[in-house]
Amino acid sequence: MERGSEGWALTDAGKAVAESARAIEDALSRAVDAVSGQDTPSLRGTVRVNAPDGFGTVFATPALARVRRCHPGLQTELITATRQLALHPSGFDLALAIGKTPGSRLVTEHLTDYALGLYASDAYLTRCGSPETLADLLRRLLPDEVDIRLPITLAVRREAVTHPAVRAVRDALHQEVVDRAAELLPE
């Protein structure tokens, strides 16, 4: 391993060893599945997911639970934060981020958009009056222009893109946002 500007990363020799080790691990998993009588290969190991706090709690958690039910040998770790996480490729397998993710060692894709809601208490409306337009509301509450529709980007470490467990988690996240699209972008 070597330390770079984006954190620790495998050297070329480390990548070669990891690839060989993955082949050995896959062969052992297939042997265990065969001995236990499983027709389809089960997923094992750990997938580490980074996500914004709210999105991670409300959308990623149910997706990860579904993956775990289908693959009991697979461990998932969800790391959430209220601020944008530093996406050092060695710290996660898959990450969800608001907006675009930096990093050339990441493979990214748009997962979904979500809308922010702005709310006011009765006391505020009594004190300040009801805004008549969205622009009026934004001027009162937020001095800078705000886009209330934001993208969620899914990022995967380049070397993890083809790993079956990472693909299973990615697919579950996509399914979760499809199933619950009305919650993300209410009309």
Side-chain angles (χ1 to χ4, degrees), residues 78-138:
L78 178 61
I79 303 155
T80 64
T82 54
R83 59 180 169 67
Q84 184 79 340
L85 295 162
L87 298 181
H88 298 293
S90 60
F92 68 91
D93 296 299
L94 189 142
L96 302 166
I98 298 170
K100 298 203 183 274
T101 57
S104 60
R105 294 193 321 228
L106 302 175
V107 175
T108 63
E109 65 181 290
H110 179 261
L111 179 63
T112 189
D113 289 326
Y114 78 100
L116 296 176
L118 300 174
Y119 305 91
S121 69
D122 290 336
Y124 172 84
L125 295 175
T126 300
R127 188 174 66 253
C128 301
S130 295
E132 296 188 22
T133 66
L134 179 59
D136 183 27
L137 176 63
L138 291 174

